[in-house]
Amino acid sequence: SLPVYALLHKNASDCHVLGSPVLPLLSKDGDVMIGGAFSIHSKISFKLKCFFSSINLREFRFAQTMIFAIEEINKSKHLLPNVSIGYRIYDNCGSTLSSMRAVMALMNGDELLIEKNCSGQSAVHAIIGESESSSTIVLSRTTGPYQIPISHSATCECLSSRKEYPSFFRTIASDLHQSRALAQLVKHFGWTWVGAVNSDSDYGNNGMAIFLSAAQEEGVCVEYIEKFDRAEPEKLLKVVEVIRKSTARVIVAFLAHVEMNNLLEQLNVHNITGRQFIGVEAWITADSLVTPTSFSVLGGSLGFAVQKTNISGLNTFLVKDFWETDFQCEENHIDVASKSCKENQDLMKLRDYNDDVEELRYSSNIYKAVYAVAHSLHSIMKCSDSQGCDKTSEVIEALKQVNFIIKNGEQVWFDSTGAVLARYEVVNWQQRSIGSVHFEPVGYYDASLPPGQKFVLNTEAIMWPGGSKKLPVSVCSESCRPGTYKVLERGKPVCCFHCLPCPDGEISNSTDSNDCNQCPEEYWSNQIRDACVPKNVEFLSYTEDMSKILMFFTLFGVVLTVTVAVLFLINRDTPLVKANNSELSFLLLFSLSLCFLCSLTFIGRPTEWSCMLRHTAFGITFVLCISCILGKTIVVLMAFKATLPSSNVMKWFGPVQQRLTVLSLTLIQVIICILWLTINPPFPFKNMKIFREKIILECSLGSSLGFWAVLGYIGILAVLCFVLAFLARKLPDNFNEAKFITFSMLIFSAVWITFIPAYVSSPGKLTVAVEIFAILASSYGILFCIFAPKCYILALKPELNTKKSMLGKSK
C-alpha cells in the first residue's frame, strides 16, 4: 500500500505513516538526499510485484551511473565541501502505477513517525528520473513544487510547458527537435511515402504529431499511422498486419524501447523483413533489442541517438567498484555478503556483464543531472547561508542559473524550457560479424548551428536493409521526370500522382513539377519538353527543292525570252517583225525578262531591302510589260483605222506617242511605289500566329493599301488591254496579233484572279511560292501567247514571212 502521513491525536504536530513504508532498492544516507526512479525490472504483476526475470540492463546502468556521480562529488574538495550527498533509488518496474508509489516513497521517506509539521521538506531534495515521458509526467505532477524532477531521457515536448511543469528539468533535448529532424532525414533520402508507428503514450503521441506536421511541410506523405500500448497485444497484431500489407518501404517508429521490443518480436514471428526503419533515441541504440534474429528485421535501421560521451572512471565503476563498495558483494565472499546483496540475488547475474559499457549514451545525461543538482545546492550554500539550503524554490532558481563544465569538457546549462541543447548522433544498425550488431555513427544533428549546417550525413557509410549499399526507394508514385508534370490521383495523398507530358510549347525543367511553364514567344519546347529552344525560322530559302524548281523555271523563262529576242533581232527586217511593231516587241521581251527575274527577289531570307525590292520590282516590271502589250493593241487598232479612206490617225500614234504612252503608264506605277515606300514600306516580319512551333519569316506589306494599289493598277491595265484586244480580234488581217493578245490577257487575268484566294489562304512560305508561281505563270502565258506563233513562222515557216501573207484577207 502507498504510505500516507496522518496526524496523531496526542500530538497534532507529528505525522505518522499509515501502512508500511516502501523501501528503496539502493540507498545511502547523506547530509542532502537525491532520489532516483528507474525501471530496473521492466514488468510488474497485478499485485504490484516486479518480475525478477525481466531485468532491464540499461536502466540498471542508469542507477549505477547516478551512484557513481554522487560518489565522485562526495570525494570532491571543490563541489559541496564537507557536505555528503545520499541517495534513495527506487525500481518502478516499468509501471506508471508503481512510479506513483516510488514518488510517494521518495517524498515521505521510510520513517514511521516524523516529529515535525506534515507540510515540511520532503525526504529528498531532487529526483533523477523517470526514463519514460509518461512516468515522468506522473512524477512531475505528483511532486508539484516540493521536488525537482530532472529526467535524463524524457523527451516529450509536452514537458516543455513551464506553466504546467514549472519545476521540471531535463538533461536531454525535447522531441520538438528530433521529430523535425526525422522529417528532414526522410526527405533527405527522397522517401515521400512512409508508414508511421508510435507508442500510445504522451511520448509517442506528442512526438508523432510533431513529425506529421513537419513531414507535411517537407512534402512527405504518410501511408498509415498506427499506435499501440505495451499492454494491448491485439492492437499490436493489427499494426503488424498493416505493415505487412503496406506499400511503404520506410517506417518511422516513434516508440519507447519496450513497445519496439514487442513490435520486433511480432515482426520476427510473421517474418516481415526488408523494411527500412527510422528510429528515435528511445530504441535506436537499445541493447535489449539486439537478439540473434533481430538484425533480419532491424538491420540497416537509421535514427537519432543521444551523443556518446566518455566519462573517465565510469567503466571501472560499473564493472567492479559498484559491486564491491555499494552492493558489497565481493568476489569469492558471496556467502557472507551484505543484506543488500542477498535481497537482490536476481541482479547478481549482471555482475560480470560488461558488453554494453561501450554503448552507454544516456549515462552521461544521468551524470550531468546529478552534477546540476550538486551545483545548484552549492550555489545555495554559498549565497544563502542564513536561510539554509532546504528551500526548494531556491533550488529551482539555482538550477535555472547553473552553467558548468563536466570533466570531459562538455558545457551544461538549461534553456527557458528546462532542457539542454538538441544534439543527436545519427546511427546505423550494421553487422560486423554474424550475431554482432554495431551502432555505427554516420552523421550528426546539432540544432544550435545555423540553418543548412545542422544536418551532416555520411551517406556512403550507411548500410541499408539486407546488407545492401543501394538506397531503398519508398514512394507512392515514381518521380515525374523533367518534361512532365504531376496530376494528383483523386482521393489519394499528394504523393500519389500520374505523370503527364507537358503540352507543346511548354516545359518543366525540374523533377516532380506541379505544372509546366510556357516558353517565351520566340522559343519552343524541345522533343522531351524539358528545355525551350529557339523556334525554327522558316522562309523560302535557295537550298530548298521547291526554290530550286522555281529558280529553274525562272531562268528557263529568261533563256526563252532572250532566245525569242535574238530570233526577232535576226529577222528584224522581215515583214512579220516589222508588222508587229518591232520596237514595242523588243521592249516587251525586255520587260518579260525582268518579270521572270523579279521572282528571284522573293526567294531567300527577307531583309528590309529585299522586302521593298520584291514588291516594287514586281509592280513596275509588270506594268511595263502590260503597257507594252497595251501599246501593241492600240497600234493594231490604229493600223486598221488607218487603212480606211480619209483616215489620218496613225500620225497621232506614231513611235514617239507609243514610247510616251508606255513611259507614262509605267511612271504612274513608279509614283504609286514611291508613295508606298515613303509612307509605310514593306518590312521583314516574324509571323508567329500561323504556326505555334515555328516562326515564318516573311515580308509584311506595311501598307496593305499600297500593295493592293500596285496590284489593282496592274489589273486595270490588263482589263483595258483585254477589252481593246477583244475588240480587235476579228480584224480582217490574215495575221491578227490582237487574237494572241486576247488569249494572253485571259491567261494573265485568270492567273491573278486565282492568285488572290490562294495568296490569302496559303500558310507560311507557301504564300511566297504562290506569288512566284503567279509571276511565272503570267509571264509564260504572255510569252507563249504573243510570241510563240511568230517564232513558229520565223523558225519553221519562213515562206509565210512575206508582205503578201501578212496583208492577205482571212477567209
Side-chain angles (χ1 to χ4, degrees):
S1 62
L2 297 178
V4 178
Y5 287 119
L7 293 177
L8 297 178
H9 294 291
K10 63 179 182 179
N11 189 348
S13 64
D14 293 337
C15 292
H16 189 275
V17 175
L18 297 179
S20 301
V22 180
L23 298 177
L25 179 68
L26 300 168
S27 65
K28 183 179 181 179
D29 292 332
D31 298 329
V32 293
M33 299 296 293
I34 300 177
F38 305 102
S39 301
I40 297 175
H41 295 86
S42 58
K43 292 184 180 180
I44 192 171
S45 69
F46 68 94
K47 294 182 179 181
L48 299 181
K49 297 293 184 181
C50 295
F51 283 111
F52 291 138
S53 61
S54 59
I55 298 176
N56 189 320
L57 179 60
R58 184 168 69 160
E59 294 283 320
F60 182 59
R61 295 297 196 203
F62 295 163
Q64 289 179 288
T65 304
M66 176 178 168
I67 295 171
F68 169 76
I70 291 173
E71 295 293 346
E72 192 174 72
I73 293 170
N74 285 336
K75 295 175 184 178
S76 172
K77 295 180 180 180
H78 303 288
L79 186 60
L80 292 175
N82 302 320
V83 176
S84 64
I85 301 177
Y87 55 85
R88 296 170 58 84
I89 299 175
Y90 282 84
D91 180 9
N92 63 24
C93 305
S95 167
T96 303
L97 184 57
S98 186
S99 293
M100 176 71 77
R101 183 176 64 173
V103 171
M104 297 302 295
L106 285 169
M107 293 174 63
N108 295 332
D110 52 10
E111 296 180 9
L112 292 176
L113 178 64
I114 300 179
E115 296 179 355
K116 63 180 181 179
N117 193 290
C118 291
S119 62
Q121 175 69 44
S122 65
V124 294
H125 292 78
I127 299 174
I128 308 299
E130 299 260 354
S131 297
E132 294 188 358
S133 295
S134 296
S135 299
T136 304
I137 291 172
V138 172
L139 187 154
S140 298
R141 287 177 174 170
T142 303
T143 59
Y146 298 103
Q147 247 65 50
I148 301 174
I150 304 181
S151 178
H152 55 285
S153 62
T155 57
C156 181
E157 169 61 14
C158 56
L159 287 164
S160 295
S161 172
R162 303 315 277 168
K163 182 178 181 181
E164 293 188 46
Y165 309 100
S167 60
F168 173 73
F169 293 82
R170 51 184 163 189
T171 51
I172 193 170
S174 160
D175 280 332
L176 176 67
H177 304 284
Q178 180 176 214
S179 297
R180 290 174 176 173
L182 281 172
Q184 293 175 30
L185 180 69
V186 170
K187 182 63 175 179
H188 175 80
F189 291 109
W191 297 323
T192 57
W193 189 239
V194 301
V197 181
N198 66 276
S199 299
D200 193 3
S201 62
D202 297 286
Y203 167 73
N205 292 330
N206 277 274
M208 183 55 70
I210 298 170
F211 166 76
L212 293 176
S213 176
Q216 185 176 14
E217 292 177 5
E218 296 287 348
V220 176
C221 297
V222 180
E223 182 183 10
Y224 58 86
I225 307 168
E226 297 293 330
K227 59 184 177 180
F228 68 96
D229 186 76
R230 62 191 65 176
E232 298 175 324
E234 66 284 351
K235 283 191 177 181
L236 174 58
L237 293 176
K238 176 179 177 285
V239 171
V240 172
E241 184 63 17
V242 170
I243 293 174
R244 188 182 66 82
K245 293 180 177 180
S246 69
T247 58
R249 311 308 297 173
V250 174
I251 302 173
V252 177
F254 216 106
L255 300 166
H257 72 278
V258 176
E259 278 86 3
M260 188 64 209
N261 187 62
N262 296 341
L263 178 61
L264 175 61
E265 290 177 358
Q266 290 301 318
L267 293 176
N268 266 322
V269 170
H270 291 83
N271 194 28
I272 299 175
T273 60
R275 266 64 171 184
Q276 173 65 53
F277 276 88
I278 305 298
V280 291
E281 38 71 37
W283 68 264
I284 195 67
T285 57
D287 289 295
S288 59
L289 298 179
V290 180
T291 66
T293 58
S294 63
F295 192 78
S296 62
V297 176
L298 295 181
S301 293
L302 203 63
F304 296 102
V306 175
Q307 284 187 315
K308 190 189 299 184
T309 304
N310 182 29
I311 301 174
S312 61
L314 178 59
N315 291 3
T316 304
F317 179 83
L318 295 178
V319 176
K320 181 179 180 182
D321 294 350
F322 169 79
W323 299 100
E324 295 182 358
T325 59
D326 293 88
F327 228 52
Q328 298 178 6
C329 293
E330 296 183 14
E331 191 176 3
N332 302 325
H333 293 85
I334 296 179
D335 55 334
V336 292
S338 67
K339 180 181 177 181
S340 176
C341 181
K342 291 180 180 179
E343 290 179 352
N344 296 283
Q345 288 296 319
D346 60 314
L347 298 178
M348 289 305 300
K349 61 183 179 181
L350 303 177
R351 186 172 185 274
D352 297 320
Y353 187 86
N354 58 9
D355 291 350
D356 67 325
V357 172
E358 290 185 1
E359 281 297 334
L360 294 178
R361 294 174 183 271
Y362 290 95
S363 295
S364 65
N365 291 350
I366 300 281
Y367 185 83
K368 287 183 284 189
V370 174
Y371 265 85
V373 173
H375 275 276
S376 65
L377 292 172
H378 186 84
S379 175
I380 293 172
M381 293 180 68
K382 281 184 176 181
C383 304
S384 304
D385 291 335
S386 61
Q387 299 180 12
C389 56
D390 59 346
K391 292 186 177 180
T392 308
S393 60
E394 298 254 359
V395 177
I396 294 174
E397 292 303 317
L399 272 174
K400 291 180 180 178
Q401 302 300 322
V402 294
N403 192 328
F404 60 94
I405 298 175
I406 58 177
K407 61 183 179 180
N408 67 354
E410 185 177 351
Q411 188 175 9
V412 180
W413 57 278
F414 297 103
D415 63 17
S416 59
T417 67
V420 295
L421 286 177
R423 292 188 180 95
Y424 299 102
E425 195 173 66
V426 183
V427 298
N428 178 223
W429 275 49
Q430 297 187 8
Q431 196 170 35
R432 289 181 174 175
S433 59
I434 298 176
S436 173
V437 176
H438 178 63
F439 307 129
E440 182 69 25
V442 293
Y444 68 84
Y445 179 87
D446 190 340
S448 66
L449 296 177
Q453 301 178 24
K454 297 181 180 182
F455 216 165
V456 174
L457 277 175
N458 181 14
T459 308
E460 292 75 16
I462 298 176
M463 186 67 69
W464 303 109
S468 173
K469 296 296 287 185
K470 184 179 179 181
L471 175 70
V473 176
S474 185
V475 294
C476 181
S477 301
E478 292 294 332
S479 295
C480 291
R481 63 168 181 79
T484 62
Y485 68 102
K486 296 191 299 185
V487 177
L488 300 181
E489 295 185 27
R490 183 175 298 177
K492 290 189 177 182
V494 295
C495 299
C496 302
F497 46 81
H498 297 295
C499 298
L500 296 181
C502 289
D504 290 343
E506 297 183 16
I507 66 159
S508 64
N509 55 9
S510 61
T511 304
D512 287 337
S513 295
N514 291 319
D515 50 24
C516 300
N517 299 319
Q518 184 74 41
C519 287
E521 191 176 25
E522 295 191 12
Y523 289 80
W524 194 249
S525 55
N526 60 1
Q527 189 172 3
I528 59 176
R529 309 285 196 274
D530 65 347
C532 289
V533 295
K535 288 182 179 179
N536 290 328
V537 178
E538 186 177 272
F539 57 90
L540 196 62
S541 66
Y542 289 101
T543 57
E544 293 185 45
D545 292 338
M546 183 185 299
S547 298
K548 293 176 181 179
I549 294 172
L550 293 174
M551 285 191 293
F552 169 78
F553 283 103
T554 296
L555 297 176
F556 183 69
V558 173
V559 170
L560 285 180
T561 304
V562 172
T563 303
V564 171
V566 170
L567 186 61
F568 266 57
L569 185 61
I570 294 172
N571 297 280
R572 64 183 177 279
D573 295 326
T574 62
L576 178 62
V577 175
K578 289 181 177 181
N580 284 277
N581 197 331
S582 61
E583 186 174 345
L584 287 180
S585 295
F586 283 114
L587 186 58
L588 176 59
L589 289 171
F590 173 71
S591 64
L592 279 175
S593 298
L594 295 180
C595 288
F596 280 116
L597 291 174
C598 81
S599 63
L600 295 178
T601 62
F602 288 82
I603 302 175
R605 175 181 288 271
T607 63
E608 186 175 349
W609 286 103
S610 67
C611 287
M612 291 190 291
L613 177 63
R614 66 173 57 172
H615 289 97
T616 53
F618 156 74
I620 293 172
T621 54
F622 265 85
V623 165
L624 178 62
C625 178
I626 301 301
S627 298
C628 292
I629 296 174
L630 183 60
K632 290 173 69 67
T633 306
I634 294 174
V635 168
V636 171
L637 288 173
M638 294 301 102
F640 175 74
K641 294 290 185 180
T643 59
L644 297 177
S646 305
S647 177
N648 196 25
V649 296
M650 281 305 296
K651 71 176 182 177
W652 300 107
F653 205 74
V656 175
Q657 288 80 5
Q658 295 172 22
R659 297 189 195 102
L660 289 175
T661 300
V662 171
L663 180 62
S664 300
L665 294 175
T666 305
L667 186 61
I668 294 173
Q669 184 74 306
V670 171
I671 293 172
I672 294 174
C673 290
I674 290 173
L675 291 174
W676 182 15
L677 296 180
T678 302
I679 298 172
N680 192 3
F683 58 90
F685 170 68
K686 293 179 178 179
N687 191 334
M688 290 175 277
K689 294 182 179 179
I690 299 177
F691 300 103
R692 295 178 59 225
E693 71 279 7
K694 58 185 176 181
I695 298 174
I696 304 300
L697 189 58
E698 59 186 16
C699 286
S700 175
L701 296 177
S703 172
S704 298
L705 179 62
F707 173 75
W708 291 112
V710 168
L711 204 62
Y713 182 63
I714 296 173
I716 291 172
L717 293 182
V719 170
L720 179 61
C721 187
F722 171 75
V723 171
L724 294 178
F726 183 78
L727 294 175
R729 74 189 187 283
K730 292 185 178 181
L731 294 178
D733 291 336
N734 193 29
F735 183 82
N736 188 355
E737 192 177 20
K739 296 178 182 178
F740 307 121
I741 293 174
T742 302
F743 284 123
S744 68
M745 289 300 100
L746 277 175
I747 294 174
F748 183 88
S749 300
V751 168
W752 287 102
I753 291 173
T754 308
F755 161 77
I756 294 174
Y759 178 82
V760 173
S761 62
S762 298
K765 60 186 179 183
L766 292 179
T767 303
V768 180
V770 166
E771 198 165 358
I772 295 174
F773 177 80
I775 292 172
L776 294 178
S778 56
S779 299
Y780 273 109
I782 294 172
L783 180 65
F784 281 111
C785 288
I786 294 178
F787 291 100
K790 300 179 180 63
C791 291
Y792 173 77
I793 294 174
L794 292 175
L796 301 177
K797 296 289 185 178
E799 65 274 11
L800 298 178
N801 189 6
T802 61
K803 190 174 182 179
K804 182 179 179 180
S805 298
M806 296 298 103
L807 298 177
K809 302 295 181 183
S810 58
K811 299 186 178 177

